[in-house]
Amino acid sequence: MADEMKNTLEIKGLTIQYVTGDEVVHAVTGVNITIPVGKTLGLVGETGAGKTTTALSILNLVPDPPGKIISGEIFLEGEDVLKMNDKRLREIRGNMVAMVFQDPMTSLNPIKTVGEQIAEGIKIHRKVDDKASLEQAKSMLELVGIPGGRAGEYPHQFSGGMKQRVVIAIALACSPDLLIADEPTTALDVTIQAQVLKLINELREQSRMSMLMITHDLGIVAEVCDTVAIMYAGRIVEYGTLEDIFDHLRHPYTKGLFDSLPDIGNRRAELKPIRGLIPDPVNLPPGCAFHPRCDYAKPECSQQLPAIKRISDMHYVQCHLYADTDMSML
Amino acid sequence: MIEYIIRRLIALIPIILVLTLVVFSILHMTPGDATVIILGSEYTEELGAALRKELGLDQPMLVQYAKYVFKLLQGDFGMSYVTRAPVMDQLSVRLVNTFWIVICAMVLCVSLGIPIGILAATRPNSVFSQSMMVVSLMGVSMPIFWLGLLLILLFSVYLGWLPSSGMDQGFLSLILPAVTLGFNYMANIMRTTRSSMLEAIRQDYIRTARAKGVTEHAVIYDHALGNALMPTITIIGLNVGMLLGGVVLTETVFSIPGTGRLLVEAINQRDTPCVLGALVVMAFCVAISNLIVDLIYAYIDPRVRAQYRR
């Protein structure tokens, strides 16, 4: 393992639950994530797998109540986010770590101009006056491809793709060390998706920023990520480099994700969706949470949680199939 | 914007005409005759007929109405049947009292209701918030006349701090009527502010603001409040009508010579011009306050502003 200071982000054993009444939602369980400086990690999984909760915990913004961070450490450049006081948290938010949210339609305040909203973070972290921050906000707008003259306009005057550019401009305004992109293109149509992705990639390369890319789109992963974590029902079931995951995948769930993709070369082939539904996080199945949907399930899968099996330095999988082999069993 | 205001004011004219027609018809159909009440024990058939002729009451209703409207459109509210003085003179004196009660009630309610509503939303589990919600529940469910009587009993009869009736002690005379009138209004403002604030705090853009490192204070007062105030402003504006209705009760309980009591007296005496005059003024106030609400909307919300420009 690389020494801590070279990692922008290091999450160790993170467990988060939502407690409502007498129900406990196991949103995130024992998650470990490492993002070295300048690298991008893709966090992949179905809706409800705990991806957004993991991301919000990095900003210590998991809504509490009902969210509770039960255990774990989140080191942002060596400093544990979960041990920071409110003042320190405000200093890092938007400054060291920034987030691009999923839905640009609702992520902007409808009664403030986009210029004000971009300038706000600059004003807080760069300690400059209104005028200077607004000037910088204009140049941020231009950076994401919107004329600076539109800074005085309100969110409702922008299209969805433009709003997402504004959200990106807000996130990048103070050149953070880590950018969390939470399904930044899900709410956009395909041509705009490509533009936004290209923009994120370009900006990231210019500034050597690290990134956590949350998505359920394996195409996006292939395009922007260095390492990939596959998340299922709050746990990371497989973790590896882009190559490990795309060419040497080990976990049946990862395989299921790839099999669900349409194949352009063979359009007659039926899509093979993963059968069943993602389990109710209040009532996770015993053992491996994926076993009811797994084509390779063995008796022990429903009884015992599989151990983490290291395939290589970067690649690990949590599955009973690999109890005594490294070779792919799929 | 100016054009919009003018259009809204012009739209008032048909509203006032319909209002006067409805009230005129109802008063015309109500049993009882102004002349009987005016003449009292001196009433005879001949005197009554003479007085009816003098007041124009012998003419068909539609003729009476047309004459009234013709004068009203020129700004003349007509003569009171009972006092034979211009309605305008009576109204202008009484309006001042009503104006102060309503303004005091509004200022009191808005300046207390909104901050308490915000606190109740941002610290929902504190003892203060919980007790304020009980108070607001009392506020929306307690009838004005009963609250007024209780306040008189406590502050005038037992404690002797505040006058129980009339307007002769200036500001002191205003306190109890304003509290009585405004309690329900304040409860409404408080509850609306609380619920819309709770709603606003859950929005995505609040999370965006927090993710920028904005202080919690600025998150609430700068980002959430502006959005949360819209429903509150609606309630403030819409309930001006309710306040003016409450004024009738409040002025009666506290024996205050205001528009509300004038209205009650005028109805009892079948004094049609006086009733109409009071109602036209009240309707005008409600319409103007709704217009002001719409303008405040436009001031706060750029989306509404954009609609007016079109």
Side-chain angles (χ1 to χ4, degrees):
Chain A
M1 279 268 167
D3 116 47
E4 263 176 21
M5 288 312 290
K6 284 192 185 148
N7 293 327
T8 308
L9 178 73
E10 196 166 347
I11 298 181
K12 289 180 178 170
L14 182 66
T15 298
I16 303 171
Q17 295 173 351
Y18 292 104
V19 184
T20 49
D22 44 0
E23 282 191 337
V24 178
V25 176
H26 300 273
V28 175
T29 312
V31 160
N32 297 301
I33 282 175
T34 303
I35 306 180
V37 175
K39 298 289 183 192
T40 295
L41 176 109
L43 194 54
V44 183
E46 286 164 277
T47 306
K51 306 182 301 273
T52 302
T53 303
T54 307
L56 286 175
S57 70
I58 300 168
L59 287 155
N60 207 342
L61 272 179
V62 177
D64 174 20
K68 280 266 176 290
I69 297 178
I70 304 295
S71 62
E73 295 162 308
I74 300 172
F75 292 104
L76 195 64
E77 294 182 352
E79 197 180 349
D80 192 346
V81 172
L82 301 179
K83 293 203 175 77
M84 290 179 185
N85 59 24
D86 285 351
K87 182 165 175 286
R88 181 69 188 136
L89 275 174
R90 287 200 303 271
E91 281 168 11
I92 64 147
R93 286 177 187 161
N95 193 21
M96 271 167 74
V97 51
M99 187 155 171
V100 174
F101 293 97
Q102 191 168 353
D103 187 353
M105 307 302 164
T106 56
S107 295
L108 296 172
N109 193 331
I111 62 171
K112 288 178 172 294
T113 66
V114 298
E116 279 169 2
Q117 298 190 52
I118 301 171
E120 189 173 27
I122 301 172
K123 215 160 63 186
I124 293 169
H125 299 298
R126 295 280 178 270
K127 311 264 187 294
V128 293
D129 62 15
D130 287 0
K131 203 165 158 243
S133 65
L134 210 56
E135 279 312 310
Q136 287 183 44
K138 280 182 186 164
S139 55
M140 281 313 299
L141 270 182
E142 270 157 22
L143 187 71
V144 297
I146 297 173
R150 297 193 67 184
E153 293 183 19
Y154 291 92
H156 73 272
Q157 291 163 289
F158 291 80
S159 67
M162 296 282 249
K163 278 186 203 162
Q164 191 60 301
R165 283 162 185 267
V166 173
V167 173
I168 292 171
I170 290 175
L172 296 178
C174 297
S175 23
D177 303 319
L178 174 67
L179 179 70
I180 304 169
D182 185 3
E183 308 203 21
T185 58
T186 305
L188 308 175
D189 61 52
V190 186
T191 49
I192 310 295
Q193 279 188 14
Q195 286 178 19
V196 168
L197 275 186
K198 187 158 167 275
L199 176 73
I200 291 180
N201 248 349
E202 282 168 8
L203 296 172
R204 194 173 59 89
E205 272 159 28
Q206 281 168 25
S207 59
R208 294 268 306 141
M209 184 171 64
S210 310
M211 185 159 85
L212 175 64
M213 171 64 91
I214 297 174
T215 181
H216 51 241
D217 185 337
L218 290 164
I220 294 178
V221 173
E223 210 159 315
V224 299
C225 298
D226 301 300
T227 46
V228 185
I230 308 286
M231 207 164 176
Y232 186 79
R235 287 178 192 275
I236 291 180
V237 294
E238 187 165 9
Y239 189 101
T241 62
L242 191 63
E243 201 197 330
D244 290 334
I245 300 295
F246 275 69
D247 297 337
H248 311 291
L249 64 92
R250 289 291 198 275
H251 200 283
Y253 178 64
T254 316
K255 181 169 183 289
L257 286 180
F258 279 96
D259 286 346
S260 313
L261 293 178
D263 180 0
I264 190 80
N266 182 5
R267 288 179 54 184
R268 280 169 194 279
E270 270 189 45
L271 286 180
K272 279 184 283 177
I274 305 174
R275 62 191 161 87
L277 294 170
I278 193 158
D280 174 9
V282 177
N283 261 320
L284 288 178
C288 169
F290 186 59
H291 83 263
R293 305 173 70 187
C294 182
D295 291 332
Y296 303 86
K298 301 192 284 182
E300 62 262 42
C301 294
S302 59
Q303 285 153 15
Q304 216 179 346
L305 188 70
I308 289 176
K309 171 78 176 187
R310 288 209 167 267
I311 310 291
S312 68
D313 194 28
M314 287 295 284
H315 192 186
Y316 69 76
V317 61
Q318 190 166 24
C319 178
H320 280 300
L321 291 177
Y322 303 97
D324 34 43
T325 176
D326 281 357
M327 303 317 288
S328 173
M329 301 289 286
L330 305 179
Chain B
M1 192 61 101
I2 303 276
E3 192 196 331
Y4 174 77
I5 297 174
I6 292 170
R7 253 191 292 141
R8 282 285 295 266
L9 290 177
I10 292 173
L12 248 179
I13 295 172
I15 295 175
I16 300 279
L17 285 183
V18 171
L19 172 97
T20 50
L21 181 61
V22 170
V23 175
F24 211 92
S25 315
I26 292 173
L27 287 174
H28 193 80
M29 286 183 279
T30 322
D33 188 337
T35 55
V36 179
I37 295 161
I38 296 165
L39 292 170
S41 56
E42 291 160 36
Y43 182 85
T44 58
E45 282 297 323
E46 298 82 57
L47 275 176
L51 187 56
R52 260 196 293 279
K53 194 168 166 63
E54 191 190 333
L55 296 175
L57 290 174
D58 53 341
Q59 286 159 324
M61 184 207 130
L62 278 178
V63 175
Q64 288 182 40
Y65 177 67
K67 282 186 173 170
Y68 177 78
V69 167
F70 186 68
K71 277 199 269 176
L72 183 65
L73 289 177
Q74 295 168 337
D76 182 358
F77 281 68
M79 294 281 191
S80 160
Y81 292 164
V82 180
T83 61
R84 308 287 176 86
V87 170
M88 203 54 188
D89 293 356
Q90 283 188 359
L91 266 180
S92 53
V93 178
R94 302 261 185 143
L95 266 177
V96 177
N97 290 338
T98 306
F99 175 81
W100 282 116
I101 295 174
V102 171
I103 289 295
C104 278
M106 280 186 87
V107 169
L108 185 78
C109 298
V110 172
S111 59
L112 284 178
I114 292 179
I116 294 175
I118 295 171
L119 270 181
T122 50
R123 297 193 195 2
N125 297 321
S126 66
V127 177
F128 176 78
S129 304
Q130 301 281 354
S131 45
M132 277 304 136
M133 281 302 109
V134 175
V135 170
S136 84
L137 195 64
M138 282 163 58
V140 285
S141 47
M142 199 183 282
I144 284 187
F145 57 89
W146 191 60
L147 174 67
L149 291 176
L150 285 185
L151 288 178
I152 290 176
L153 205 58
L154 178 61
F155 289 100
S156 308
V157 178
Y158 288 139
L159 298 173
W161 291 351
L162 296 165
S164 65
S165 65
M167 285 292 279
D168 40 351
Q169 291 193 39
F171 182 69
L172 281 184
S173 312
L174 280 173
I175 297 177
L176 284 186
V179 170
T180 307
L181 177 62
F183 195 43
N184 179 295
Y185 189 61
M186 180 178 81
N188 273 323
I189 293 176
M190 209 153 96
R191 297 172 76 84
T192 312
T193 307
R194 174 176 170 273
S195 63
S196 54
M197 198 71 193
L198 282 174
E199 178 72 27
I201 288 175
R202 282 193 293 122
Q203 296 298 313
D204 285 353
Y205 54 78
I206 294 301
R207 196 176 56 183
T208 310
R210 288 205 175 109
K212 276 189 273 192
V214 175
T215 61
E216 201 52 32
H217 185 268
V219 164
I220 287 164
Y221 291 94
D222 195 18
H223 285 267
L225 187 58
N227 288 288
L229 272 185
M230 306 293 281
T232 306
I233 289 163
T234 312
I235 291 295
I236 293 175
L238 281 183
N239 283 357
V240 168
M242 204 190 75
L243 272 187
L244 290 176
V247 146
V248 176
L249 288 171
T250 311
E251 288 178 354
T252 306
V253 170
F254 289 94
S255 321
I256 290 166
T259 322
R261 245 182 82 205
L262 177 69
L263 185 63
V264 175
E265 288 160 11
I267 291 173
N268 286 336
Q269 296 171 331
R270 308 289 183 276
D271 191 347
T272 310
C274 214
V275 175
L276 283 170
L279 284 177
V280 166
V281 170
M282 284 182 169
F284 190 73
C285 292
V286 172
I288 294 293
S289 59
N290 282 341
L291 177 59
I292 293 174
V293 165
D294 285 350
L295 296 179
I296 296 177
Y297 268 171
Y299 175 73
I300 294 182
D301 193 330
R303 288 166 296 186
V304 179
R305 215 178 308 155
Q307 284 172 6
Y308 289 149
R309 275 204 207 100
R310 244 179 260 141

